[in-house]
């Protein structure tokens, strides 16, 4: 049995407070289901602790699949998203992997969270797995290792592309271009030829998935590393 720490957002809206966002639920549930089936222990952390709101767009057909619907309809699981743990209450030595979920909310609270960066650095440097799906890779943008280097520099990575932001109709509301910012930090960014199809990149103990369709494959790749 391994211990996995899922990272979720606390942000409930874009800069425009009338434009809601939050956690893309299936990006959490697909991974959670895969890890649970293997008997791993799982916990939730967020930049501030407390409530993690849900992205409304992900709660509508056809994006609300069986996995996400089962979580939404389970009061015990929904309660977990009301009481996530803050980073300073987490002992990174107790975890084998950290897994960043997405949803546009993470673009506001993941990149500059010292607490998340500290957890990621510690788990990575103790030999753990670092995973991210879709916008979750924003949580890796500014993480530096103990030698001062950026975790993503020189490493192959993927995440929600700028083309997908445009096609989703939200590019003008984004606080930054995550794909470009990754490249600016020296990451070797890759993406699928077609938007919104599953695409996963594994570089050593770093596993990233491009979009919501990549959530299951990303979690399976993380699982393979944990089994190894």
């Amino acid at each position: 049995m391994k211990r996995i720490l899922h990272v979720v957002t606390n942000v409930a809206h874009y800069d425009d407070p009338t434009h809601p966002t939050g956690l893309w639920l299936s990006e959490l549930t697909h991974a959670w289901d895969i890890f649970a089936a293997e008997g791993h222990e799982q916990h939730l952390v967020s930049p501030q602790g407390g409530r993690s709101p849900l992205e409304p767009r992900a709660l509508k057909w056809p994006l609300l699949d069986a996995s996400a619907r089962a979580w939404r309809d389970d009061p015990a699981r929904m309660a977990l998203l009301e009481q996530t743990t803050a980073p300073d209450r987490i002992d990174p030595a107790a975890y084998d992997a950290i897994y960043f979920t997405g949803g546009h909310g993470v673009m506001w609270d993941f990149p500059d969270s010292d607490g998340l960066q500290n957890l990621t650095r510690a788990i990575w440097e103790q030999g753990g797995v670092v995973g991210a799906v879709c916008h979750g890779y924003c949580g890796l943008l500014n993480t530096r290792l103990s030698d001062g280097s950026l975790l993503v520099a020189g490493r192959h990575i993927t995440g929600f592309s700028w083309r997908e932001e445009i096609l989703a109709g939200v590019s003008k509301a984004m606080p930054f271009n995550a794909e470009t910012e990754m490249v600016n930090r020296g990451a070797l960014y890759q993406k699928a030829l077609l938007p919104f199809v599953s695409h996963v990149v594994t570089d050593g103990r770093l596993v990233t998935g491009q979009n919501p369709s990549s959530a299951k494959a990303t979690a399976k790749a993380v699982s393979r590393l944990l089994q190894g």
Side-chain angles (χ1 to χ4, degrees):
M1 183 186 72
K2 304 292 185 179
R3 301 187 82 198
I4 301 166
L5 188 62
H6 296 267
V7 188
V8 295
T9 185
N10 297 119
V11 173
H13 58 79
Y14 288 52
D15 287 331
D16 176 358
T18 68
H19 192 164
T21 187
L23 163 68
W24 197 279
L25 185 57
S26 65
E27 293 175 10
L28 169 65
T29 67
H30 287 176
W32 192 282
D33 292 347
I34 287 169
F35 298 146
E38 297 175 353
H40 300 317
E41 184 176 342
Q42 304 178 75
H43 299 106
L44 296 174
V45 65
S46 63
Q48 300 298 323
R51 181 172 183 265
S52 179
L54 299 182
E55 163 63 62
R57 294 172 63 175
L59 301 179
K60 298 177 181 178
W61 185 89
L63 300 173
L64 184 70
D65 62 7
S67 172
R69 188 182 307 110
W71 186 294
R72 182 202 63 183
D73 295 341
D74 183 341
R77 287 192 169 187
M78 288 298 291
L80 296 177
L81 293 173
E82 295 292 331
Q83 51 193 19
T84 67
T85 306
D88 61 2
R89 298 179 63 86
I90 297 287
D91 177 10
Y95 290 91
D96 302 283
I98 187 168
Y99 189 89
F100 287 81
T101 63
H104 283 99
V106 311
M107 299 185 75
W108 280 270
D109 65 348
F110 277 14
D112 297 317
S113 169
D114 291 337
L116 295 183
Q117 292 172 26
N118 292 338
L119 290 174
T120 304
R121 177 172 53 253
I123 291 171
W124 177 264
E125 292 184 344
Q126 69 196 21
V129 177
V130 173
V133 64
C134 200
H135 290 89
Y137 76 144
C138 294
L140 307 178
L141 277 170
N142 300 321
T143 298
R144 292 188 179 274
L145 304 179
S146 295
D147 63 5
S149 65
L150 287 164
L151 171 62
V152 299
R155 292 192 168 88
H156 296 278
I157 198 168
T158 191
F160 207 65
S161 69
W162 190 246
R163 182 183 180 193
E164 287 168 320
E165 299 283 19
I166 293 171
L167 292 173
V170 293
S171 60
K172 294 181 180 179
M174 293 299 96
F176 56 88
N177 181 327
E179 177 182 339
T180 296
E181 291 302 319
M182 268 296 171
V183 173
N184 289 343
R185 284 159 176 76
L188 306 176
Y189 179 84
Q190 302 174 2
K191 59 186 173 185
L193 291 176
L194 297 175
F196 304 116
V197 300
S198 179
H199 182 65
V200 177
V201 173
T202 299
D203 189 332
R205 292 178 286 109
L206 177 63
V207 181
T208 49
Q210 183 174 330
N211 46 42
S213 299
S214 310
K216 291 180 182 178
T218 305
K220 289 177 180 178
V222 169
S223 180
R224 286 192 292 270
L225 289 174
L226 290 174
Q227 292 171 0

